[in-house]
Amino acid sequence: MQAQNLYSRHQLLDRALTSAADIGDDMILKRTLYGTLRPDEISIEQADEMVAASQRRFDRIKDLVEQVKPLIEQGIYARNELTPILEELDYRRRTLTLAESRARFLREIADMAKAEQALEANREEEGPKPVQERYDGNGLFTPSLMRDVVLSYEKQFAKALPISANGETAIHKAMGYDHRGRIDVGLSPDTPEGIWLRQYLESKKIPYYAFRTAIPGRATAAHIHIGPPSNRLRAAD
């Protein structure tokens, strides 16, 4: 009887793990969260798909736990027979948390790109911008300058420069902007790190845009864009 119960419990878990729907969701995660696409190659739509797939995989095992609990209370299963299912549930919970964190990061990149779009639309307006600053410098930002910025920041603060977008990303491209040769740094311009970075850039005459705002209803868009403004992509690109 115990062997039969053990077989049935394994059969329930195996059925969930090998269902077509679960395998399909796992393939989505292997492509987006764990696999062949780098974070900067993932679009917002793919990020949403990644979170949805993670949520579905978590919910399947959560439902399985709810199915098995009454059987344990009835004495059909021993309590320790639930352990592998709970372990799978915990693994999927951690995967869901990771997917949600990655999606938030990608939305912040999108928010930054939208803030830069708004700046582009208002570039010819006169007067100071209360939520943004622009420094033109000499208009140049080369790979060697980028390396100097990164190394100088690391030397100053003993930590990595929090680069959120390095060059072209799927999000910038989808929004019609060429972000090649530019970087976005996830620092508020008025923090000690942000102030130091802006002063460093000005000392080297490196152009930048500093954004102090958040886009209402979305994640923070406060950041520092290093390099000249992003150009609009041509249709051929």
Side-chain angles (χ1 to χ4, degrees), residues 106-202:
L106 291 169
R107 288 191 179 91
E108 287 185 2
I109 294 178
D111 291 345
M112 293 176 185
K114 287 181 179 181
E116 292 171 20
Q117 278 187 325
L119 175 63
E120 178 71 15
N122 297 318
R123 280 176 64 190
E124 296 183 1
E125 291 184 4
E126 297 295 331
K129 306 286 194 303
V131 296
Q132 62 200 29
E133 288 184 19
R134 173 180 176 178
Y135 174 74
D136 290 329
N138 60 12
L140 298 176
F141 185 52
T142 63
S144 62
L145 286 174
M146 184 175 107
R147 183 178 63 252
D148 291 344
V149 171
V150 170
L151 294 178
S152 296
Y153 183 91
E154 290 178 352
K155 181 178 179 181
Q156 179 70 21
F157 295 103
K159 58 184 177 182
L161 183 69
I163 296 174
S164 53
N166 185 355
E168 184 179 51
T169 72
I171 291 170
H172 283 91
K173 193 170 183 179
M175 296 176 72
Y177 276 82
D178 183 355
H179 202 255
R180 289 173 290 187
R182 289 94 169 156
I183 63 173
D184 289 337
V185 179
L187 289 174
S188 177
D190 298 317
T191 60
E193 293 91 340
I195 292 170
W196 180 90
L197 180 58
R198 289 189 292 126
Q199 291 174 343
Y200 177 87
L201 295 172
E202 291 175 14

Side-chain angles (χ1 to χ4, degrees), residues 64-145:
L64 182 58
V65 170
E66 296 305 314
Q67 292 175 33
V68 172
K69 279 183 176 178
L71 300 177
I72 292 176
E73 296 301 323
Q74 296 169 29
I76 298 175
Y77 289 164
R79 291 192 178 276
N80 63 359
E81 291 179 355
L82 186 60
T83 299
I85 303 176
L86 291 176
E87 289 174 348
E88 181 67 21
L89 182 67
D90 183 62
Y91 167 73
R92 295 190 180 204
R93 180 185 292 109
R94 287 184 277 114
T95 299
L96 175 59
T97 299
L98 179 60
E100 289 173 336
S101 176
R102 180 72 56 80
R104 281 194 300 271
F105 171 74
L106 291 169
R107 288 191 179 91
E108 287 185 2
I109 294 178
D111 291 345
M112 293 176 185
K114 287 181 179 181
E116 292 171 20
Q117 278 187 325
L119 175 63
E120 178 71 15
N122 297 318
R123 280 176 64 190
E124 296 183 1
E125 291 184 4
E126 297 295 331
K129 306 286 194 303
V131 296
Q132 62 200 29
E133 288 184 19
R134 173 180 176 178
Y135 174 74
D136 290 329
N138 60 12
L140 298 176
F141 185 52
T142 63
S144 62
L145 286 174

